[in-house]
Amino acid sequence: MKKLLIAIVIIAALAVGCEKKFTPLNTKSVISANTSHERDALLLQLLEQEIYDAAGQCTCEGSEEWYFAGVGHKACGGPWEYIAYSSQIDTTYFLKLIERLNTQEEIYNMKWGITSTCETPPMPEDVACVDGEPQFLYP
């Protein structure tokens, strides 16, 4: 019985890959014509937090497993920043979260007349692992 329990623990540890500290919020709310400015801003904050929680699940051990994506939608267009994420997370769900945040922020900007600078952050060329953390590499 003890050997079976040890085998199950080892198999579970190998299957997980990343520390599972991420709990999806599954925020289904959307910005619409009849929502308040405060509610809309809170929705964007919750979506952004869910994205960063998901991306922060894994320790960066092999840069070949890491990618990056633009997060947010500036009023002039383009992302506010880039985020690194591991291929060991549910990347389909993660990228849909980013797409949802970007779309909702674009709607928010138009609805509330938000302005921003038109500079865009430099796009990373790749991701490296430094002391267990993903670091962007630039050309």
Side-chain angles (χ1 to χ4, degrees), residues 1-132:
M1 182 68 169
K2 187 176 179 180
K3 288 181 182 179
L4 178 61
L5 181 59
I6 292 171
I8 291 171
V9 170
I10 291 172
I11 291 170
L14 292 173
V16 171
C18 292
E19 181 182 339
K20 299 297 183 187
K21 60 184 176 186
F22 168 67
T23 304
L25 297 174
N26 289 324
T27 308
K28 298 294 183 191
S29 301
V30 294
I31 294 172
S32 65
N34 59 353
T35 54
S36 71
H37 191 207
E38 293 78 19
R39 182 198 166 281
D40 293 349
L42 179 60
L43 170 67
L44 295 177
Q45 287 177 333
L46 290 172
L47 285 169
E48 188 173 346
Q49 186 61 54
E50 189 167 357
I51 289 165
Y52 281 91
D53 286 350
Q57 293 180 73
C58 301
T59 301
C60 192
E61 295 174 5
S63 59
E64 66 280 352
E65 296 177 351
W66 286 80
Y67 303 93
F68 60 88
V71 176
H73 185 89
K74 293 180 99 176
C76 282
W80 283 101
E81 60 190 338
Y82 290 92
I83 188 170
Y85 65 95
S86 171
S87 62
Q88 294 183 26
I89 66 171
D90 182 346
T91 57
T92 301
Y93 177 75
F94 180 76
L95 293 173
K96 283 181 182 179
L97 274 178
I98 290 176
E99 181 182 338
R100 183 158 178 239
L101 171 69
N102 295 352
T103 300
Q104 291 299 300
E105 188 166 17
E106 183 177 17
I107 294 167
Y108 174 86
N109 292 341
M110 289 187 295
K111 177 181 176 182
W112 296 108
I114 304 297
T115 60
S116 68
T117 62
C118 294
E119 295 91 24
T120 57
M123 181 183 287
E125 187 174 85
D126 205 353
V127 179
C129 294
V130 179
D131 297 326

